[in-house]
């Protein structure tokens, strides 16, 4: 069964991650078959300074994103 890698900005609570892990696991079992115990979900919390879209870091002020 799959190992899912979830990358997101840091700041989500343990409760939010647990709920997401449950939903992702249920979707895998429903679509792919198998059982929940064989689905792994790995969370990677990233600081906004470590993620860029369109060449602009997410830690930059919003105005710099629209002007880029």
């Amino acid at each position: 069964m799959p190992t899912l890698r979830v990358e997101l900005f840091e700041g989500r609570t343990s409760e939010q991650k647990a709920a997401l892990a449950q939903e992702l696991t249920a979707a895998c079992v429903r679509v792919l078959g198998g059982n929940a115990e064989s689905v792994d979900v790995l969370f990677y919390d990233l600081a906004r300074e470590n993620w860029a879209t369109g060449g602009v870091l997410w830690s930059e002020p919003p105005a710099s994103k629209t002007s880029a």
Side-chain angles (χ1 to χ4, degrees), residues 9-58:
F9 290 134
E10 60 190 359
R12 301 314 196 295
T13 66
S14 294
E15 292 79 14
Q16 288 173 312
K17 291 177 188 177
L20 181 56
Q22 289 175 354
E23 294 291 333
L24 291 171
T25 298
C28 286
V29 171
R30 184 178 66 254
V31 173
L32 302 175
N35 57 55
E37 292 76 24
S38 64
V39 178
D40 293 314
V41 180
L42 308 175
F43 290 101
Y44 292 87
D45 292 333
L46 298 171
R48 289 179 178 269
E49 66 193 30
N50 294 328
W51 193 316
T53 300
V56 180
L57 292 173
W58 278 90

Side-chain angles (χ1 to χ4, degrees), residues 53-68:
T53 300
V56 180
L57 292 173
W58 278 90
S59 58
E60 296 294 318
S64 67
K65 289 184 192 157
T66 58
S67 64

